[in-house]
Amino acid sequence: MVEALRKIDWYRLRGHNGYADELPRLLKQARTSVEPHEELVGVLTGEESEVSEATAAAWPFLLELVAHDNTPSREWLLENLCGAIAVAGGSGADGVHPSWPPAFEASKPALLALLDHSSAGVRRGVLFVLGKGRGDSALVLPALTRRWDEETDPATRLCLVLVVTEFAGRGDEAAVSWLRELDVPDGEPLARLLVSAATRPDADVILRGLTGDLELFLATGSFEMGYDEVLEHVLWLVGPKDFEGMDLVLALVDVLPWRTEALDYLRRLFERDTTDVGLVVPFVPVWAADPDVRLRAFAVWLVGVARAREYTDLVAAAVHDHAVTSLGQRVSALAESVLLELR
């Protein structure tokens, strides 16, 4: 490392808090001490969508630190520094320096070699970096296939599937094929869930959400993560603008254990952007007449957000609905407020 560090003119490279002339010292110190870790984070990470030229230059040295068994707290470095850099680099934002993508691609052989590390924590950290860093999956997928056949740690096996869903969620058809061909034992329900969430059985395109097997999704929801965490991940796959996934959310509205989460998702979605609210407005009459107060309250709220004046009479009728939601919100009070907005 020492000789390779000398070959780089760090005085000409900018980090996130100025020039990177201190980086060689910090990287060398990190081989034997945790003291420079926080300072390395300050120099090498900025906003979540920024990667500096100094960070791209330092990347191979960070991986060398992580690979060395004597590096103190290397799992911390992998998670809190390398992971943060990979997330920023994979954002595709303007703040990512042009030197980052080739630096990350060049590092993939070193990253993939760490998949054979004896520490499951290191293997999982590397998988996170591979998934978040984007780039070409050509080298990654064969290595993950081999690792899948050899891996015995359940959490790491799940991470293997998560990495491929990251690639698949960006439209990588090779990743979609990998998931479809993956043989997942019945005893790994979360892995089966994510495979189903990331693939469509009826098309050759990726859908960020589950349309393939809702039954599997619901059956898996009570597994160790808890259905709220499972739903959070799948709705992340759906994404705020991938409205093909709206079928999933609307299906979950009909399933009692998932109803609150699905309605919360719709509320957050349309609070941000009402452009496509018309996709769900036709459900207002059905929801407004439902015995479940959550649906009645949501229907009234939706009329207000969508300015759907054709349903003013339904809102006026809800003024006499004195039921209270789990949040302590009276349907009648909400209806009165929406009526004022519609006038």
Side-chain angles (χ1 to χ4, degrees), residues 247-302:
D247 289 341
L248 164 64
V249 182
L250 294 175
L252 293 176
V253 169
D254 291 334
V255 182
L256 285 174
W258 295 79
R259 179 166 289 169
T260 296
E261 285 80 4
L263 291 176
D264 285 347
Y265 174 79
L266 290 173
R267 189 183 294 268
R268 293 194 304 270
L269 180 65
F270 295 127
E271 281 175 346
R272 291 195 305 266
D273 184 0
T274 60
T275 304
D276 295 281
V277 71
L279 291 170
V280 296
V281 165
F283 292 91
V284 163
V286 177
W287 292 343
D290 197 279
D292 191 330
V293 63
R294 292 172 293 178
L295 278 174
R296 299 201 305 276
F298 185 79
V300 171
W301 176 85
L302 189 61

Side-chain angles (χ1 to χ4, degrees), residues 16-215:
H16 288 286
N17 58 0
Y19 287 101
D21 50 294
E22 286 296 303
L23 266 176
R25 174 183 64 82
L26 295 173
L27 289 167
K28 285 185 285 188
Q29 286 180 349
R31 294 180 301 172
T32 56
S33 171
V34 299
E35 186 177 344
H37 287 188
E38 293 291 347
E39 197 171 348
L40 278 170
V41 170
V43 175
L44 296 177
T45 63
E47 298 296 328
E48 290 185 359
S49 58
E50 293 181 352
V51 179
S52 70
E53 56 182 341
T55 300
W59 182 249
F61 300 105
L62 291 177
L63 297 187
E64 185 176 337
L65 286 172
V66 169
H68 203 287
D69 287 339
N70 292 329
T71 300
S73 298
R74 63 177 174 188
E75 290 186 18
W76 187 96
L77 281 173
L78 186 55
E79 178 181 350
N80 294 282
L81 184 53
C82 296
I85 294 169
V87 169
S91 68
D94 293 338
V96 177
H97 194 270
S99 61
W100 167 254
F104 184 68
E105 289 299 324
S107 74
K108 281 185 176 174
L111 281 166
L112 293 171
L114 286 171
L115 291 179
D116 293 322
H117 198 278
S118 59
S119 166
V122 169
R123 297 198 301 273
R124 289 196 292 269
V126 167
L127 288 168
F128 179 84
V129 168
L130 285 168
K132 294 299 183 182
R134 295 202 179 199
D136 190 351
S137 67
L139 281 177
V140 176
L141 294 176
L144 298 187
T145 298
R146 179 185 59 78
R147 190 66 233 172
W148 177 260
D149 293 335
E150 299 173 359
E151 185 61 59
T152 57
D153 178 65
T156 307
R157 283 174 65 82
L158 179 61
C159 288
L160 285 163
V161 180
L162 280 166
V163 170
V164 188
T165 64
E166 292 278 1
F167 282 103
R170 303 181 192 115
D172 188 320
E173 293 187 7
V176 177
S177 297
W178 190 94
L179 288 165
R180 287 184 180 145
E181 295 167 6
L182 187 65
D183 183 17
V184 185
D186 291 340
E188 296 184 80
L190 276 183
R192 291 173 65 83
L193 161 69
L194 291 169
V195 169
S196 184
T199 59
R200 288 183 66 175
D202 59 340
D204 293 328
V205 295
I206 185 64
L207 172 64
R208 289 188 177 191
L210 175 65
T211 58
D213 194 342
L214 181 60
E215 192 173 318

